[in-house]
Amino acid sequence: MFDVLIVGGGAAGLSCALVLGSAKNKTFAKSKRIGIIVHQKNSHLQTALFNNVLGLTPGTTGASILENGKQQLTDLYPHVEQIDNEKVLSISKNADGFNIETNKNKYQSKIVVIAVGYTNLINIKGLEEYIEPHPRAATEKERVWLRNTDHVIEKNLYVAGTLAGWRSQFAIASGSGAQVATDILTLWNNGKHTKVHDKI
């Protein structure tokens, strides 16, 4: 049983995992089991080139961010379990949270964060009722979002990144993942607004 399981290893998913992982020394987070299904095959970052992102060297590729992000998570926060080479097939509710079935395994989690891309090819069973045309994408691209309010689809089911209705910009997707992570940390911290910063 995970306390939180993130589905998707792109900008939003990895950002969410990094922020959650960074809270490891906080009393309210230290015993939490965090996992991320880092399926990246369909991430738009695979073909991205960045020249306009603050803090990234111009010419940085999205593919390098994906690989470096997984390594950063491994190096800094090894307690965050990375599940590789699995694709989520279905999500359903149970008494304690959610059942998550992949092409290889079955998992349970109290909280789930969906952070996969916003193409209309999304085919995770159990999410169909929330899929709508994307409010901030060109109609002809046939992009979708999961209907939500402030990243919450329903209790303990979150969505982050472009699938949450945000535009496809790296900084926006990353920020969305961080927002969801701080909302979950706030939940774990009995509703006290929480963020995690490292300082020199």
Side-chain angles (χ1 to χ4, degrees):
M1 171 66 81
F2 285 94
D3 289 284
V4 60
L5 185 61
I6 302 160
V7 178
L14 284 171
S15 179
C16 186
L18 285 164
V19 173
L20 287 172
S22 70
K24 64 181 179 177
N25 294 325
K26 303 286 186 184
T27 304
F28 57 83
K30 64 171 53 176
S31 64
K32 302 296 186 188
R33 185 177 179 201
I34 304 164
I36 178 170
I37 297 176
V38 287
H39 185 74
Q40 300 177 328
K41 186 177 179 182
N42 297 324
S43 173
H44 284 110
L45 287 182
Q46 295 287 5
T47 57
L49 176 67
F50 296 108
N51 293 317
N52 65 350
V53 179
L54 179 67
L56 290 184
T57 303
T60 298
T61 65
S64 69
I65 289 172
L66 289 173
E67 284 310 306
N68 293 340
K70 289 197 314 186
Q71 193 59 52
Q72 180 181 359
L73 191 57
T74 297
D75 292 345
L76 294 177
Y77 313 117
H79 64 288
V80 176
E81 299 176 45
Q82 293 186 49
I83 302 166
D84 216 342
N85 300 314
E86 294 187 32
K87 187 170 182 174
V88 174
L89 303 178
S90 69
I91 295 173
S92 60
K93 287 187 269 191
N94 63 37
D96 299 312
F98 299 89
N99 300 309
I100 301 93
E101 184 176 352
T102 74
N103 57 328
K104 297 182 181 178
N105 289 297
K106 294 181 180 179
Y107 304 96
Q108 291 187 334
S109 186
K110 295 175 184 174
I111 296 172
V112 174
V113 179
I114 310 296
V116 298
Y118 68 153
T119 71
N120 63 355
L121 300 176
I122 183 171
N123 57 2
I124 300 174
K125 290 180 183 174
L127 298 179
E128 300 91 345
E129 67 179 289
Y130 307 109
I131 297 174
E132 294 181 354
H134 198 283
R136 294 186 178 94
T139 305
E140 63 271 16
K141 294 205 179 254
E142 298 182 327
R143 304 300 191 205
V144 299
W145 76 314
L146 296 182
R147 187 178 63 252
N148 69 89
T149 302
D150 294 330
H151 294 101
V152 179
I153 299 170
E154 62 175 72
K155 184 178 180 181
N156 295 327
L157 181 61
Y158 294 79
V159 59
T162 54
L163 196 60
W166 301 112
R167 288 192 178 91
S168 182
Q169 288 286 141
F170 176 77
I172 296 172
S174 294
S176 173
Q179 176 71 50
V180 170
T182 57
D183 286 347
I184 291 169
L185 293 175
T186 297
L187 181 69
W188 288 347
N189 196 17
N190 294 315
K192 182 178 179 182
H193 288 290
T194 303
K195 56 190 180 295
V196 184
H197 294 302
D198 295 318
K199 295 184 181 179
I200 297 174

